[in-house]
Amino acid sequence: MDHDDLLSPRALYEVAALIQDHPDADLIYSDEDKIDAAGQRYEPHFKTGWNPELLLAQNMVSHLGVYRRALIEAGGGLREGFEGSQDYDLALRIAEATTPARIHHIPWPLYHWRQSGGPETFSQAQMDRCAAAAQRAVAEHLARTGQPVSSVARMDDTPGWVTVRRVIPEPRPMVSVIVPTRDRADLLAACVEGVLKSGYGPLELLVVDNGSVEPETLALFARLSGEARGRVLNAPGPVNFSALNNRAAAEARGEILLLLNNDISMPAPGWLEALVAQAVRPSVGAVGARLLYPDGRVQHAGVALGLGGVAGHVGHFAPGETAGYFGHLKSARNVSAVTAACLALRKTVFDQVGGLDSENLAVAFNDIALCLRVRAAGYDIIFEPACELIHHESASRGTDPAGPAPGRVRAELAPLRGRWGK
């Protein structure tokens, strides 16, 4: 700990109690807050569970960080040349030397970081040097662990945090983009154009038509039939998004599947590369995008279980320009789930977990259940903010509270809670 900071009176007790319950623990970290000269505590940092992707953006371990001594000694201790980020470098190296099962989070603010009342700390006075050390610590960690990246840079407006851009292996994997639809040619046309003009290849676009009848939609399908990379699959019948996606996935030729709503538009290039660069990683099971409403507010930045009684979008309605709580809205990180409005995953993973649940979850919660099964199979779920898209949410089918949907939502919630209640 730093010489001028404070520990909670219960800090060492909580650490000892955790070690008693988990004697094989190698790394323990707690929540923290700040404290001013008057002793007033503020800005609590309530952290996530172990989050290796978020650790690449910020030092979420310090403070309070507790390490198994043998691992520190085996790794050579704190390294010179990383002053201001030496604890960050240590956390990354210890994480490499252990497993997630031996890393534990104490969800209590046990460390009070003093912010004023004395001379500036080294990190305050030498911010550029500390930020450079953080970048180097992350870059060396990625190199040691064999994770190819195109850049490791400072996060905009937050010089102590880091942004990592991953690369896609060559030859590039083929992506099958699956878009279920029923009419609303205006929305679908923008989505189709964004996919086909993404610049990514190899690619195929599978539009799953669930009984469209409007002339504008049929004309769009006719134009799409002349596109070598596009196909329209006829799938009439009641709305069942799970079944529509499963049907297309069975016919898809791509190594990567991208489940995409027809009301998504793409304001900037590079979005598909960002998703694929994450989805190809062997440890990753599914990847989601940063979705904004047309007015610029955040629609989706990952899903947290429990919000709204079931699962809710992190950062919902936050201003699009804000980084959110401790940078979470603009940091790639491990999350509980992501929305299937834009969800990429390897076809092998999709098949391994049995696809979407078309029997019990026709419309709602099918993406949550998919992500839960993916995580249960041992894979990570990643939120990737470098993929930023516009979601005209529910414009093509209305919102769930309209009409008979509340009853349907309750019916679909029962099997979800029955299997995943805990």
Side-chain angles (χ1 to χ4, degrees), residues 183 185 212-221:
D183 289 316
S212 297
V213 296
E214 295 175 357
E216 296 83 1
T217 308
L218 301 180
L220 176 59
F221 290 164

Side-chain angles (χ1 to χ4, degrees), residues 116-354:
S116 59
E120 283 189 325
T121 65
F122 179 89
S123 58
Q124 291 169 325
Q126 304 285 337
M127 179 52 72
D128 285 345
R129 185 176 171 187
C130 296
Q135 287 173 251
R136 186 155 63 92
V138 171
E140 291 189 10
H141 162 76
L142 292 167
R144 287 190 303 267
T145 53
Q147 302 182 60
V149 297
S150 60
S151 66
V152 177
R154 298 186 189 187
M155 185 179 292
D156 293 342
D157 304 322
T158 313
W161 293 350
V162 177
T163 296
V164 171
R165 291 289 175 261
R166 298 183 180 273
V167 295
I168 303 171
E170 295 290 346
R172 288 188 165 196
M174 183 177 188
V175 176
S176 296
V177 182
I178 299 172
V179 183
T181 194
R182 177 184 286 179
D183 289 316
R184 289 308 303 263
D186 53 338
L187 292 172
L188 180 62
C191 179
V192 167
E193 181 181 22
V195 170
L196 295 179
K197 292 186 177 181
S198 66
Y200 184 90
L203 175 144
E204 68 170 351
L205 172 61
L206 304 177
V207 175
V208 192
D209 176 30
N210 185 221
S212 297
V213 296
E214 295 175 357
E216 296 83 1
T217 308
L218 301 180
L220 176 59
F221 290 164
R223 294 195 300 273
L224 187 59
S225 66
E227 164 62 55
R229 296 172 295 168
R231 283 189 284 160
V232 177
L233 306 178
N234 292 317
V239 176
N240 186 323
F241 279 105
S242 295
L244 296 174
N245 280 290
N246 289 344
R247 157 82 190 282
E251 298 196 25
R253 302 193 303 266
E255 179 184 337
I256 305 294
L257 303 179
L258 174 59
L259 312 184
L260 193 67
N261 276 18
N262 67 349
D263 55 355
I264 297 286
S265 57
M266 300 77 176
W271 61 273
L272 189 48
E273 283 83 354
L275 288 177
V276 175
Q278 291 281 11
V280 295
R281 296 170 57 202
S283 63
V284 173
V287 188
R290 174 179 154 93
L291 302 179
L292 304 179
Y293 287 109
D295 64 7
R297 293 179 300 166
V298 173
Q299 192 265 338
H300 171 270
V303 171
L305 301 179
L307 290 184
V310 185
H313 291 186
V314 175
H316 195 217
F317 290 146
E321 65 275 9
T322 182
Y325 187 75
F326 287 90
H328 284 195
L329 303 188
K330 292 189 175 181
S331 299
R333 65 189 197 285
N334 297 75
V335 292
S336 299
V338 291
T339 176
C342 179
L343 186 157
L345 77 172
R346 297 190 301 283
K347 190 173 189 297
T348 54
V349 175
F350 187 84
D351 292 341
Q352 177 186 347
V353 301

Side-chain angles (χ1 to χ4, degrees), residues 30-43:
S30 77
D31 295 343
E32 62 185 273
D33 58 23
K34 295 182 174 66
I35 190 168
D36 63 19
Q40 294 296 313
R41 293 161 55 192
Y42 65 102
E43 200 172 298

